[in-house]
Amino acid sequence: LDVNGATVECHAKAYRLADAEKFAKAERRANVSGPLGEGRFVWPRLGIEVCIFPNDNKLASLSLLTDAARREDFLKRHLPEQPALWQSSIRTLAYKPERRWVGALEVTGAPLAVCKLYGDAAFEEVRSKSKHFTPGKVLRLAPLLGRSKGRGALFFGWQPGQLLSQAMLEPSFDPAILFRVGVALAELQQQSVPNLPVRPAATEARALIKLGEFLEFLLPAEAARIHNIASRLVASISSLPPGNSVVHGDFYAK
């Protein structure tokens, strides 16, 4: 929202009108006041709930991090060996309401660490993965500095460098960098990590088919070509020999 020339971040949820109990819970939730007065607005007749940042129904720790005094106490307790971060400020890097918040911990404008907040379901899964992977000759991994299970928070060291999405736009960009990106991914995929969730080849194949159908809908002129490519990929996946390999999640140049 643009309020008197300032940007106010918020998110809205639309409910079924039959979900009266959810509205009642929303109205009872504590909220942090902000530039609009109340931090949460609930309109049962419209089936809409609006949360003003940092109010979030599933990431309650957000309000803690945006309060300087409470943030300092929180960082002292969970990063006792990182005194340089105790009085840091925060800057949002990525935010998916009720799912994940990622922010930089900055001192005099310089980022020194990253804090990630998760909902209850995702926290333990992410934490268990992050502690088993190791760096390679090319692959760099941000070190895990600390965690708070009760707050769903993970702290990682800041990785200095240039974003690939920016580097690729420069006239001096060396395409050999992309080869190193491929090597880093290979070093990730070659690691043996216990207790990761398993995605059978059949699951991957079904996901590819659904993706192909979606792309065919978006690009009807290319439907035959898309269908052919998806079918070939599905056949290749289905014929792979048995065995497990680490795979990455979303990967893109940002």
Side-chain angles (χ1 to χ4, degrees):
L1 302 176
D2 184 8
V3 181
N4 296 327
T7 299
V8 177
E9 186 168 5
C10 67
H11 67 273
K13 294 179 67 175
Y15 294 89
R16 297 180 306 164
L17 296 179
D19 293 333
E21 179 57 31
K22 292 184 178 180
F23 289 122
K25 288 182 179 179
E27 290 179 314
R28 292 194 298 266
R29 287 191 185 102
N31 66 82
V32 178
S33 60
L36 302 183
E38 291 292 317
R40 179 181 286 105
F41 300 89
V42 180
W43 301 311
R45 288 181 56 235
L46 299 175
I48 294 174
E49 175 189 12
V50 179
C51 295
I52 311 300
F53 189 87
N55 293 277
D56 189 298
N57 294 340
K58 295 185 179 179
L59 300 179
S61 302
L62 257 182
S63 59
L64 181 153
L65 285 174
T66 55
D67 182 286
R70 297 175 66 202
R71 178 173 65 247
E72 181 175 352
D73 179 65
F74 178 64
L75 295 177
K76 284 181 178 179
R77 283 189 287 114
H78 296 289
L79 295 174
E81 299 178 359
Q82 305 288 334
L85 296 174
W86 293 349
Q87 295 184 338
S88 58
S89 59
I90 62 169
R91 174 170 58 89
T92 297
L93 300 175
Y95 178 39
K96 293 186 177 180
E98 299 194 354
R99 291 178 55 193
R100 182 176 74 249
W101 176 85
V102 182
L105 299 181
E106 298 182 331
V107 177
T108 61
L112 299 182
V114 171
C115 176
K116 297 185 178 184
L117 299 181
Y118 296 91
D120 293 338
F123 171 79
E124 192 57 38
E125 180 182 346
V126 175
R127 187 193 69 82
S128 63
K129 292 177 182 178
S130 63
K131 67 181 182 179
H132 288 299
F133 287 98
T134 57
K137 293 182 179 179
V138 177
L139 176 66
R140 290 192 300 160
L141 297 176
L144 181 64
L145 303 179
R147 63 184 177 91
S148 170
K149 183 176 182 180
R151 293 291 186 177
L154 295 174
F155 299 95
F156 295 90
W158 182 265
Q159 287 286 71
Q162 185 182 27
L163 296 179
L164 184 60
S165 58
Q166 296 175 352
M168 292 173 65
L169 300 177
E170 296 182 354
S172 59
F173 178 70
D174 183 0
I177 292 176
L178 298 177
F179 177 81
R180 289 176 58 81
V181 172
V183 172
L185 287 177
E187 290 179 344
L188 176 76
Q189 294 165 348
Q190 290 170 358
Q191 297 191 36
S192 177
V193 180
N195 303 322
L196 289 180
V198 176
R199 291 196 305 200
T203 301
E204 295 283 355
R206 285 195 298 270
L208 268 175
I209 292 173
K210 294 179 70 174
L211 176 59
E213 292 173 346
F214 179 58
L215 292 176
E216 290 174 40
F217 169 75
L218 290 178
L219 303 168
E222 298 290 335
R225 183 182 178 202
I226 293 169
H227 181 79
N228 180 47
I229 293 174
S231 298
R232 287 163 52 196
L233 288 172
V234 167
S236 297
I237 289 176
S238 302
S239 63
L240 288 173
N244 291 330
S245 174
V246 171
V247 295
H248 56 76
D250 292 344
F251 174 77
Y252 46 93
K254 293 191 298 180

